[in-house]
Structure formats: C-alpha cells, structure tokens
C-alpha cells in the first residue's frame, strides 16, 4: 500500500461510517447483561449542531468506544428532546406546523451526528414529540395521580407574558427574576394548575445526595441548596380581630427581640386587610413582590401583632422581601439578629434590640445584626441560657410553638399554556370534576396546529376541546394545558432500555439490570431542574413497583464550554465556529482529537485554528507511519533484546497503563498526550536504529487502539493497513506485558536529562564529548529506606545500622541530608533497576546531547564523582570535546 499524499478524510470517514452501519457495530442486544450505560443529555433539535453539542457527544462517544474495547457490552443511545416553546415560536414565524419544523431539524442534526462518527445505537432512537413516546408521559401522569402525586390546585404562579405560559420556580432565573427561555421579567398570577408533588420526596431527595459520590461537589451543593431543608419551629403571633398568624423560624431563641411583624403581599391576611382599605391596597400594589434588591420596602398596615413570648404589641407591615411561597408567608422581624430585618428596621425606624450575646466579646447591633448563636440576654427567664437549649425550652413553653422542618423546594408546576407539548390526559366534567382519560384511549394526540397571536392554541381547536366524560358520558372539555417539557426528559433514559415497548413505558426487568446510567454527561445548566426532576420521577416510579433503582445517574459529568478568544461561543456574539465547516475542511477525527486533547471534559477551552491544524497534521503523520510500515518503506529486522528495544517495549507498557487510567477517569487529554508521545517515540526509535520488528509493530498496534476512541475513522484505516480483518472498534484493548514501576523509571530518566541540561547551561558547554552518569551505591539506597521508615530521629536511625555506621563520616553526612528532607523523601528504584533503566534510555541521551554516554555504578567511578550520586539522582560529569 502506497502512502497517500494527502489525508482524504471525506473518503475515509464516509467509508467507515457505512461499514459500521452495515455491520451494526453499535447495536446493543436486548439480551445484553448489565451493559455499560453511557449517555449524553439528548438535544433539543434546533437545526444544526453547535460546538457544545459536538464536545458533549464526543465525550460520551469516546468513553463508550473505550468501554467496547475493554470487552464491555455498551448502551450508547441517542434521541430528541423535541417538544417545547422554541419550536412553536419558530413555526409561527415561518407559518408552518411545529412538527414539520422539528422533524426537519432532527433530520439535519442526525445527519451531522452520523458525519461525526458517533457510535449510537440508532435502533433505540426516541423522539419525545412522537405519540408513541408522549403516550407514556400521559400514562405516567395518571399513575402519579393515582398515587396522590399529581394534583390541580390554585395559587400564585410565575407567568411569562412573552411566552404566555406559567413557569416552575426553577425556570425563573436570577435576582431580576427572568424567564429562563426568553429573558422577560416574570409576573405573578393566580391560576389553577397541575402540579407533581415533588415535596413529598424532599427528605429522600436531600438525603440521597450523600450517596452521589461520583457527582461534582458543586452540583450536589446546588441540589441541597435548592431543596433547602431547614430545621426550626412554627409559632403563632396573635393579630387582634384576625386570629393567630403562623410564622416559621430557625431562631426561636431570638423571639424576645421581635420588634415588628411582616406579611407577604400575597398573604391571606394581607388580602383581607386591603379588601377593606383601598388606600392600603394602593400602597401594597407599589411593592415589588419577591424583591431581592438592596432596598427593603414595606407598608405599615395599622395593625399590631402580639409577641407570644413577651405579650407586647409589635407593628404589622406588608414587606416586599417576604415571599408568599416560602415558609408561611409571614415572619417575625428580629432586627438585632437578622441582617435583612436589620436593614428594614433601620429604613422604617423600628426598634432594634439585642437578645443574644456572643459567649466571648461584645457586638454593636446598631451597626449590624449579630446572627450567631450565643447566650440569651434580656429574655426573661431564659437569660444566660445557650441558644440551642433556649430553642428547645421555648418550643415546650409557648402554647403555639412546635418543631417544624421547612423546605425551599416547591411542588413541580407542570402545566403550560402552549400547544407543542404533551397534552395532559384529563377531561373536565361539570358533574364528575376532573377525570383521567382511560389507558386504552391513550395517547391523547395533539390536533393539527392552529396558530394564534395570543393565548393557548389548543383552546381554539373545538374538535379537541369538546368531548365526552369517560365516567358519565356527558358533555365535557379536555384539559388544554400541556406538560412541562422537563417531564419528557425526566424518564427518557428508562425508555432507551426498551424503546419499542407497546404495553408498558419500559421493561422493568431490563431496566433493573441496565440502570442506573453509568456515565451521564451534560451541561451544568441542568444541575437543578432536569437532574432533580429525574431523581424524583425515578424514585416515584420505583415506589409504584415498576423499578428497583432509586438514583438514575451514577456518575454525572458537566462538560465545559467551547470558547473563542476566551468567550463562550454564541450566535448573538458572532463568534461561532461551525462544526460542519470544520468537518468539511479537516474531517470529524480532527475536530474530535482537538476537542478531547485540548482540556479535560469538565474544563472550558479555547477553539484555535492552530490547534485544529496541529491535530490534523498529527493524524496525517500517524496514518503515514502506519502505511509506511505496512508498505515496508521502513526497514525492519529482528534486532533482538537491545537496550533501545527494551526501552521502547517498556514505554509501550507505560503508555498503555497511563492512557487506560486517563480514559477510565475521563482525562482524555492525558490519555491522548500519552498516545501521541508513543507515536513520537516510535518515530525517534525508527530514526535512531533499525527497530526490532516485533516491538515496532506492537507499538503501532497499541497506538492505533489508544487513539481509536477519539479518532475512530482514521484508526480503522490504520488497523486495516496493519493487516487486521476486523474492526478496531471491536478489537481488544492493549495490555501491558511488563509489570514494572513505569512512573519511577520515567521520572528517573526525566530528572537525569534535566540535570544534564542544567549543567550544560550553567557551565556554558555547547559541545560535550562525553557524559558520565554514575548511579548511587547500594548503601545510600539502604540509608534512604531506613530514613523513610523512621519517625523523627533520622540520623540516629540510619547510624544505628551497623553496615552504615562502618561508612563513617560519609554515612553521617548523608543521614543529615536525609533528615533535612525527611518530609519529602520518596522511595527510589532499587540500585540494579535504576542502572538498567538508565542503560535502556542511554540512546535518548545520545540523541539529545550528541555525546558519548558512560553509565557507571558508583563502585566503578572516581570517588569525587560517585560521592554526589543519590538514589534517583545520579551524579553527572560532563567532558568537553
């Protein structure tokens, strides 16, 4: 085979993609036992792949391929998160059906994915907007309803006036409270909506985080904070003529310092007060509910609450920082011990009292609140009591007080007033109320799209809305809300295990065997909503007897961003690099190699033209080297066990070990650095000597397989050139032949080469004639081992050894040196192993320094040179020409 003049990536990649497809290389048999389940978050089909997609899917593809080379069965599926408002808006703009827009986008993205060489089992492809998928959303909704986990209730909801739909709390972003989709400021409305009662699982979801030890700490922290469990107490403040108003507090020990009472604008008492007071109503309307700015604003109601601990009256305010859906919507204001309350009290000239003091020192509560625990003061019979003890006593002593656990987490609002989503399978009957659609009538399919300028398009489709009640047969109306699209993604990983199932959403036995997902990769932006909802749904399904697994994702990896000049790529910023253009010019393997080699998957990295070209040039060199070897352009011979051959053989083993660890731990950049180093070593080996044919061929076979997970097309080409008949995608991962301390050997050689460079530089030697390398004597190795094992008295321990004591002053001086470095001492290779490692690497020194290398044991070297040798750091003497 002749080496090609150029790397024809288009021909090579299309050829192997066709062959993989014809051979069903990536298909996962239904009979597979506990396959390695590798999954990237499935995409929303927006039209074209972007670089974030390419990186995400290359990460999982590389790992899935690595697992196959390890001999594992692998489940690596792909699907489409295809419902959602963007498709509906795009369809309205283009005056087409959202389905048409969505399916065109899917066709485009699927073609691009296939061009990237992603090894998906396309037989398991799912599309959430297809009735055969969303039927099971409806089926699961019904099961949730039957279990008491779905309910329709009224209350304040987040409303996006631009999207014209409600939003879950998790979909309202930032202090400015903007819609997660369009960035419009969110409003509050009171509506009847469908909820899934995720709060029933709050404790289990929170406690389960401790078991997610293969998730990033930051993500686990985000979930803990969102669930927001707080241990505290409830207590009632009496408002004359209106009864007791309950508050929740984590600091009941500060109740003697409560100097005002605050209500949320949406609190029931607030609404009662403003109903009879138009002026107060006008003032309350000026407040910004849920405000989180620097200025705390409020309105005095004219009413007073009675502090249950002191019996004193305190003014009642409506305040914008009190949230209707957090706690009880009311709070006791303790400005001396809560900074937010302190700011409000300062603004409205409310008394600030100190009732807890630090155990040591003093604080000035006029300047800032003291928020820590301490000892109670000015608190009646509780004075001098520690905060924790006082909290317990006050719960016992106050009639209306009770221990209580509160959560930030709210029930999952799934109703959406839009067309392009799963219809909620409910019929509203005047006689029977809300009635679930029977299973045998599922799916409730979406009607043809009728675009409307405002409101919910489904409400305008009379043939869809008007129906019969499944229970009484009377006239009824269908629910016109559709489900939050996070419902689609909350269980899709289960559907991949049996995507063609027609009787149940997934096969329980198979899901129990194949779940949880072993490796899950996707953006950090989904760390709360998607991951939390998926954990909840998995648990709920399990409690229905359909699944044994409690956590859906064993290992979660949030991938970093692809940047350009330090800025995340964005079409709005005009700094987008098109994956299609990169594939056309350089090929998929080049893009994959650059992405995986530039940084660890969790880190951001900059896309550079230079990096792309470098990756492309390397692929050309690898292919050229393999083809040259196959064409006998490289002279080879059975050279035998020369030191150079042994060095290369052991480096092959070291590379296998290091690259394997890199792939196993998602450090693809480390694995690829090792693999590239091996290719470079083989090139230098061939240039330095006539290489041993077996060693050189083994090195090429190893390098090709080490690159196969990341550059699958060109490595198939190389594999064939090396005379292999099967696919490298189905080959065995290389195994190391030598059980050796590769790391220590490498470090020894690297340190010695660095020391030579340093001496040449300091001595300003440009043309060395010979380099004398002297390894340490055995007695120094013995002394080192004793020093490492000793506790404190290093010198005493070393000199207690009779053999070392006979070395006299030399041993004593070395023991002192070891004592100074005691904390940093590390084990070294044995003397014979150290000599052998340097002997094998001597050719590298000769090649780099163009000088004769004289390797000697200390016993054979001049004393003035040998005395400087220590374990792991040979003595070096350089002779000028």
């Amino acid at each position: 085979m002749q080496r090609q003049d150029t790397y024809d990536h288009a021909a090579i990649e299309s050829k192997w993609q066709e062959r993989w497809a014809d051979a069903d290389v990536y298909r996962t048999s239904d009979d597979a036992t506990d396959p390695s389940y590798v999954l990237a978050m499935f995409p929303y089909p927006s039209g074209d792949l972007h670089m974030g997609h390419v990186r995400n899917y290359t990460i999982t593809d590389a790992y899935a391929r690595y697992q196959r080379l390890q001999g594992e069965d692998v489940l690596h599926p792909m699907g489409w998160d295809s419902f959602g408002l963007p498709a509906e808006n795009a369809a309205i703009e283009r005056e087409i059906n959202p389905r048409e827009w969505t399916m065109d986008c899917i066709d485009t993205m699927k073609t691009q994915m296939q061009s990237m060489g992603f090894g998906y089992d396309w037989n398991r492809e799912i599309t959430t907007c297809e009735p055969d998928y969303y039927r099971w959303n409806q089926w699961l909704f019904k099961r949730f309803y039957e279990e008491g986990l779905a309910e329709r209730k009224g209350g304040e909801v987040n409303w996006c006036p631009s999207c014209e739909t409600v939003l879950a709390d998790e979909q309202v972003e930032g202090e400015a409270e903007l819609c997660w989709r369009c960035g419009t400021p969110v409003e509050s409305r009171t509506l009847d909506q469908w909820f899934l009662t995720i709060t029933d699982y709050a404790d289990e979801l929170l406690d389960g985080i401790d078991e997610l030890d293969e998730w990033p700490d930051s993500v686990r922290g985000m979930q803990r904070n969102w669930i927001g469990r707080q241990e505290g107490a409830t207590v009632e403040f009496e408002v004359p003529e209106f009864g007791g108003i309950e508050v929740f507090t984590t600091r009941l020990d500060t109740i003697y310092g409560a100097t005002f009472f605050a209500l949320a604008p949406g609190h029931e008492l607030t609404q009662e007060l403003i109903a009879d007071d138009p002026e107060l109503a006008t003032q309350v309307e000026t407040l910004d509910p849920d405000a989180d700015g620097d200025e705390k604003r409020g309105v005095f109601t004219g009413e007073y609450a009675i502090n249950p601990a002191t019996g004193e009256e305190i003014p009642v305010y409506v305040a914008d920082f009190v949230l209707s859906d957090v706690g009880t919507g009311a709070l006791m204001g303790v400005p001396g011990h809560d900074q937010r309350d302190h700011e409000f009290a300062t603004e409205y000239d409310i008394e600030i009292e100190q009732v807890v003091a630090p155990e040591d020192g003093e604080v000035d509560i006029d300047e800032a609140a003291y928020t820590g625990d301490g000892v109670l003061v000015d608190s009646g019979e509780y004075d001098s009591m520690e905060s924790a003890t006082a909290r317990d006593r006050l719960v016992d002593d106050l009639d209306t007080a009770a221990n209580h656990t509160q959560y930030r987490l709210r029930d999952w609002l799934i109703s959406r007033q839009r067309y392009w989503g799963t219809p909620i399978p409910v019929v509203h009957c005047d006689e029977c109320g809300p009635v679930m659609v029977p299973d045998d009538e599922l799916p409730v399919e979406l009607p043809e799209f009728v675009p409307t300028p405002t409101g919910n398009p489904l409400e305008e489709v009379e043939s869809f809305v008007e129906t019969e009640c499944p229970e009484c047969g009377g006239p009824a109306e269908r629910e016109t809300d559709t489900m939050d699209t996070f419902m689609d993604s909350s269980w899709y990983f289960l559907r991949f295990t049996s995507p063609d199932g027609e009787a149940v959403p997934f096969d329980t036995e198979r899901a129990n065997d194949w779940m949880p997902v072993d490796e899950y990769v996707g953006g950090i932006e989904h760390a709360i909503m998607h991951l939390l909802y998926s954990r909840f749904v998995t648990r709920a399904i399990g409690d229905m007897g359909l699944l044994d697994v409690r956590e859906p994702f064993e290992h979660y990896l949030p991938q970093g961003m692809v940047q350009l000049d330090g800025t995340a790529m964005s079409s709005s910023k005009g700094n987008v690099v098109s994956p299609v253009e990169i594939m056309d010019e350089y090929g998929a393997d080049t893009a994959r190699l650059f992405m995986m080699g530039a940084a660890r998957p969790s880190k951001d990295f900059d896309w550079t033209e230079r990096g792309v070209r470098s990756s492309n040039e390397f692929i050309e060199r690898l292919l050229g080297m393999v083809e040259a070897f196959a064409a006998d352009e490289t002279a080879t011979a059975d050279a035998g066990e020369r030191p150079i051959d042994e060095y290369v053989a052991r480096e092959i083993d070291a590379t296998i070990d290091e690259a394997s660890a890199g792939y196993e731990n998602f450090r693809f950049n480390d694995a690829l650095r090792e693999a590239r180093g091996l290719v470079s070593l083989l090139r230098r080996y061939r240039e330095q000597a006539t290489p041993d044919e077996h060693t050189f061929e083994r090195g090429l076979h190893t390098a090709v397989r080490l690159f196969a997970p990341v550059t699958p097309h060109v490595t198939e080409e190389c594999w064939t050139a090396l005379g292999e008949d099967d696919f490298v995608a189905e080959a065995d991962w290389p195994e190391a032949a030598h059980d050796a301390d590769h790391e220590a050997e490498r470090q020894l050689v690297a340190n010695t080469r660095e020391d030579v460079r340093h001496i040449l530089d300091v001595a300003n030697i440009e043309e060395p004639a010979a380099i004398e390398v002297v390894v340490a004597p055995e007695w120094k190795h013995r002394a080192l081992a004793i020093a490492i094992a000793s506790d404190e008295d290093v010198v005493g321990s070393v000199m207690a050894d009779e053999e070392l004591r006979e070395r006299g002053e030399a041993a004593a001086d070395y023991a002192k040196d070891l004592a100074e470095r005691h904390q940093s001492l590390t084990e070294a290779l044995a003397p014979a192993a150290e000599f052998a490692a340097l002997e094998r690497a001597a050719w590298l020194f000769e090649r780099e320094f163009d000088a004769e290398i004289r390797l000697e044991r200390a016993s054979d070297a001049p004393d003035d040179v040998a005395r400087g040798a220590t374990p792991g750091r040979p003595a070096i003497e350089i002779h000028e020409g």
Side-chain angles (χ1 to χ4, degrees):
M1 181 186 295
Q2 295 298 312
R3 176 181 176 181
Q4 57 191 33
D5 294 331
T6 59
Y7 167 44
D8 189 354
H9 60 79
I12 288 173
E13 291 175 359
S14 62
K15 175 177 71 175
W16 289 108
Q17 288 162 14
E18 290 175 9
R19 292 187 182 181
W20 293 329
D22 290 343
D24 252 350
V25 169
Y26 305 113
R27 186 163 192 167
T28 307
S29 169
D30 287 341
D31 297 328
T33 301
D34 191 22
S36 179
Y37 193 169
V38 183
L39 185 63
M41 293 180 184
F42 63 170
Y44 171 75
S46 55
D48 284 293
L49 291 181
H50 56 66
M51 280 300 179
H53 288 135
V54 173
R55 190 182 194 199
N56 191 0
Y57 305 141
T58 302
I59 290 168
T60 55
D61 191 59
Y63 189 78
R65 290 176 179 277
Y66 166 72
Q67 287 293 306
R68 286 192 188 92
L69 290 164
Q70 290 287 328
E72 294 284 338
D73 287 327
V74 174
L75 174 61
H76 186 219
M78 178 48 64
W80 310 99
D81 192 10
S82 49
F83 268 141
L85 186 59
E88 187 171 335
N89 288 341
I92 292 172
E93 285 179 26
R94 293 162 177 79
E95 298 184 347
I96 59 174
N97 191 300
R99 178 180 176 81
E100 181 182 345
W101 162 259
T102 299
M103 301 313 289
D104 284 347
C105 290
I106 288 174
D107 288 344
T108 299
M109 294 178 72
K110 183 173 180 178
T111 298
Q112 292 170 359
M113 284 182 171
Q114 291 169 330
S115 296
M116 284 298 301
F118 297 141
Y120 296 127
D121 182 355
W122 287 110
N123 296 288
R124 296 180 180 276
E125 180 182 9
I126 59 174
T127 305
T128 62
C129 66
E130 294 285 12
D132 64 0
Y133 182 85
Y134 69 72
R135 165 192 181 185
W136 299 112
N137 281 349
Q138 296 170 344
W139 188 92
L140 287 169
F141 176 86
K142 288 187 59 185
R143 305 289 89 77
F144 274 67
Y145 184 80
E146 291 163 1
E147 296 292 327
L149 293 172
E151 63 178 346
R152 185 175 173 84
K153 58 185 178 180
E156 282 192 57
V157 297
N158 307 302
W159 177 265
C160 175
S162 175
C163 298
E164 295 188 312
T165 188
V166 298
L167 303 173
D169 287 348
E170 295 86 346
Q171 294 167 326
V172 180
E173 296 186 334
E175 294 184 0
E177 297 188 331
L178 305 179
C179 172
W180 74 296
R181 279 290 193 193
C182 68
T184 300
V186 172
E187 302 172 354
S188 292
R189 287 196 179 183
T190 302
L191 295 172
D192 287 336
Q193 302 284 283
W194 285 99
F195 293 82
L196 297 183
T197 55
I198 189 174
T199 51
D200 290 358
Y201 283 78
D203 282 325
E204 188 176 340
L205 289 168
L206 184 63
D207 295 340
I209 294 172
D210 294 335
E211 301 172 10
L212 300 174
D213 52 11
E214 293 190 51
W215 285 33
D217 287 342
S218 60
V219 174
R220 295 196 293 174
M222 291 165 73
Q223 293 227 340
R224 285 193 184 96
N225 291 338
W226 191 260
I227 296 170
R229 181 166 66 193
Q230 290 183 305
E231 304 292 345
T234 54
V235 65
E236 289 185 4
F237 281 65
E238 182 77 16
V239 179
E241 299 185 17
F242 295 96
I245 307 299
E246 186 176 77
V247 302
F248 170 83
T249 177
T250 61
R251 294 298 306 274
L252 191 60
D253 55 313
T254 65
I255 193 169
Y256 275 80
T259 57
F260 71 93
F261 194 80
L263 301 168
H267 191 278
E268 184 178 337
L269 177 56
T270 302
Q271 299 303 307
E272 192 173 347
L273 292 172
I274 65 177
D276 298 325
D277 189 339
E279 183 178 347
L280 178 62
T282 300
Q283 291 178 310
V284 169
E285 285 177 4
T286 67
L287 299 177
D288 180 14
D290 302 349
D292 198 22
D294 293 334
E295 184 182 359
K296 305 295 186 292
R297 298 179 61 245
V299 176
F300 176 50
T301 65
E303 302 293 336
Y304 290 84
I306 298 173
N307 186 324
T310 65
E312 297 176 355
E313 290 186 337
I314 56 176
V316 176
Y317 286 80
V318 178
D320 59 7
F321 64 88
V322 185
L323 308 182
S324 298
D325 59 350
V326 174
T328 66
L331 60 81
M332 63 178 198
V334 186
H337 302 288
D338 182 283
Q339 188 57 32
R340 179 191 54 187
D341 296 350
H342 191 282
E343 293 169 7
F344 187 83
T346 300
E347 179 70 22
Y348 290 95
D349 198 24
I350 299 172
E351 187 176 1
I352 298 173
E353 295 183 358
Q354 181 176 357
V355 293
V356 176
E359 293 190 14
D360 50 355
E362 297 181 357
V363 293
D364 183 356
I365 61 166
D366 290 330
E367 291 297 321
Y370 171 64
T371 59
D373 277 1
V375 176
L376 270 64
V377 296
D378 293 332
S379 298
E381 63 184 282
Y382 304 97
D383 279 359
S384 302
M385 195 175 290
E386 292 184 348
S387 289
T389 303
R391 286 193 285 269
D392 291 338
R393 282 281 303 276
L394 283 161
V395 167
D396 293 337
D397 294 349
L398 297 176
D399 291 340
T400 63
N403 288 315
H404 183 71
T405 302
Q406 175 180 286
Y407 303 88
R408 179 188 179 195
L409 182 68
R410 293 292 171 263
D411 285 334
W412 176 10
L413 172 59
I414 67 165
S415 292
R416 297 295 180 270
Q417 291 69 43
R418 303 299 302 194
Y419 167 82
W420 195 231
T422 298
I424 294 176
V426 173
V427 169
H428 295 282
C429 173
D430 289 341
E431 295 296 325
C432 307
V435 179
M436 295 292 121
V437 174
D439 286 354
D440 59 8
E441 294 182 18
L442 299 180
V444 176
E445 294 194 35
L446 288 168
E448 283 299 311
F449 181 57
V450 178
T452 56
T454 60
N456 184 351
L458 283 177
E459 293 178 347
E460 306 304 318
V461 184
E462 187 176 303
S463 61
F464 175 81
V465 175
E466 295 184 0
T467 187
E468 292 183 354
C469 174
E471 289 190 0
C472 71
E477 293 185 349
R478 290 195 187 278
E479 173 66 68
T480 55
D481 285 353
T482 54
M483 295 186 196
D484 180 9
T485 55
F486 279 104
M487 185 67 181
D488 306 341
S489 58
S490 68
W491 69 279
Y492 78 108
F493 40 86
L494 293 168
R495 185 65 176 173
F496 277 135
T497 65
S498 43
D500 299 323
E502 296 182 358
V504 288
F506 57 88
D507 181 276
T508 294
E509 183 177 353
R510 193 180 305 158
N512 284 336
D513 183 42
W514 290 12
M515 287 287 293
V517 174
D518 295 287
E519 307 294 342
Y520 196 44
V521 178
I524 192 69
E525 67 271 17
H526 297 299
I528 294 176
M529 285 185 284
H530 166 55
L531 294 180
L532 189 61
Y533 294 155
S534 297
R535 295 181 63 224
F536 159 58
V537 169
T538 299
R539 279 174 159 73
I541 288 174
D543 289 340
M544 296 173 196
L546 301 174
L547 187 68
D548 293 340
V549 175
R550 304 302 288 178
E551 288 288 350
F553 313 119
E554 184 169 343
H555 176 221
Y556 167 56
L557 172 69
Q559 87 279 6
M561 293 187 297
V562 184
Q563 303 178 149
L564 195 64
D565 299 327
T567 304
M569 290 189 188
S570 168
S571 56
S572 63
K573 298 175 184 175
N575 66 341
V576 173
V577 175
S578 166
V580 176
E581 292 177 5
I582 295 298
M583 284 190 285
D584 288 345
E585 184 172 357
Y586 294 104
D589 281 346
T590 293
R592 293 167 62 114
L593 179 60
F594 176 53
M595 279 195 168
M596 295 299 97
R600 293 189 181 184
S602 59
K603 303 296 183 182
D604 299 341
F605 83 98
D606 262 8
W607 183 273
T608 65
E609 183 69 21
R610 179 180 179 182
V612 174
R613 286 199 305 269
S614 174
S615 297
N616 185 257
E617 290 164 1
F618 176 81
I619 290 174
E620 287 189 28
R621 288 196 300 273
L622 174 62
L623 182 59
M625 180 182 290
V626 170
E627 292 182 338
F629 175 81
D632 291 328
E633 292 179 10
T634 302
T636 57
D638 187 1
E641 293 293 321
R642 299 170 298 177
I644 188 173
D645 304 321
E646 289 187 44
Y647 178 85
V648 174
R650 294 169 80 89
E651 273 298 301
I652 292 171
D653 293 336
T655 302
I656 291 170
D657 287 344
E658 292 298 320
S660 299
Y663 277 115
E664 197 67 44
N665 296 292
F666 283 81
R667 299 196 311 267
F668 301 128
N669 58 323
D670 293 346
L672 292 170
R673 184 179 62 249
E674 287 289 334
R676 292 181 78 146
L678 176 57
V679 173
S680 175
L681 175 65
L682 292 174
R683 175 183 57 77
R684 287 176 287 153
Y685 178 36
R686 184 183 59 194
E687 292 171 352
Q688 185 73 14
T690 300
D692 171 61
E693 182 173 5
H694 171 74
T695 303
F696 194 81
E697 184 172 11
R698 177 172 175 253
L700 287 177
H701 272 79
T702 297
V704 167
R705 284 176 287 175
L706 296 183
F707 278 106
V710 175
T711 57
H713 308 90
V714 74
T715 50
E716 292 287 7
E717 196 76 7
C718 292
W719 197 242
T720 299
L722 290 172
E724 301 294 343
D725 295 327
D726 55 358
F727 293 107
V728 72
E730 297 179 320
D732 293 328
W733 190 251
E735 293 185 3
H738 299 85
D739 183 15
D741 191 345
H742 300 300
E743 183 178 354
E745 291 181 6
R746 284 180 159 188
Q747 193 63 54
L748 170 67
V749 173
N751 287 344
T752 306
R753 292 172 72 182
E754 181 60 34
D755 287 347
V756 172
R757 294 187 198 107
H758 178 69
I759 294 171
L760 290 173
D761 181 57
V762 171
N764 197 25
I765 300 173
E766 295 184 358
E767 297 183 4
I771 300 174
E772 195 172 357
V773 180
V774 181
V775 299
E778 284 198 30
W779 69 264
K780 286 191 175 181
H781 285 266
R782 182 183 182 88
L784 174 63
I786 292 173
I788 291 175
S790 67
D791 293 328
E792 294 296 333
D793 187 8
V794 174
V795 175
S797 299
V798 171
M799 298 311 291
D801 183 277
E802 183 176 351
E803 179 183 333
L804 294 173
R805 207 165 44 245
E806 292 176 357
R807 297 281 173 183
E809 188 176 337
D813 289 343
Y814 184 51
K816 292 175 184 177
D817 177 61
L818 292 173
E820 291 178 0
R821 299 182 291 114
H822 185 218
Q823 297 302 319
S824 61
L825 294 178
T826 57
E827 294 182 359
L829 293 169
E834 184 173 314
F835 187 89
L838 290 169
E839 185 177 42
R840 289 190 294 269
W843 69 280
L844 290 174
F845 291 82
E846 293 174 357
R847 181 183 175 89
E848 180 178 357
F849 303 114
D850 192 23
E852 176 190 358
I853 302 300
R854 301 172 187 169
L855 180 62
E856 299 173 297
R857 294 178 174 83
S859 58
D860 300 327
D863 288 344
D864 61 333
V865 178
R867 73 167 59 97
T870 59
R873 219 73 195 223
I876 297 168
E877 180 84 1
I878 297 180
H879 305 276
E880 294 189 69

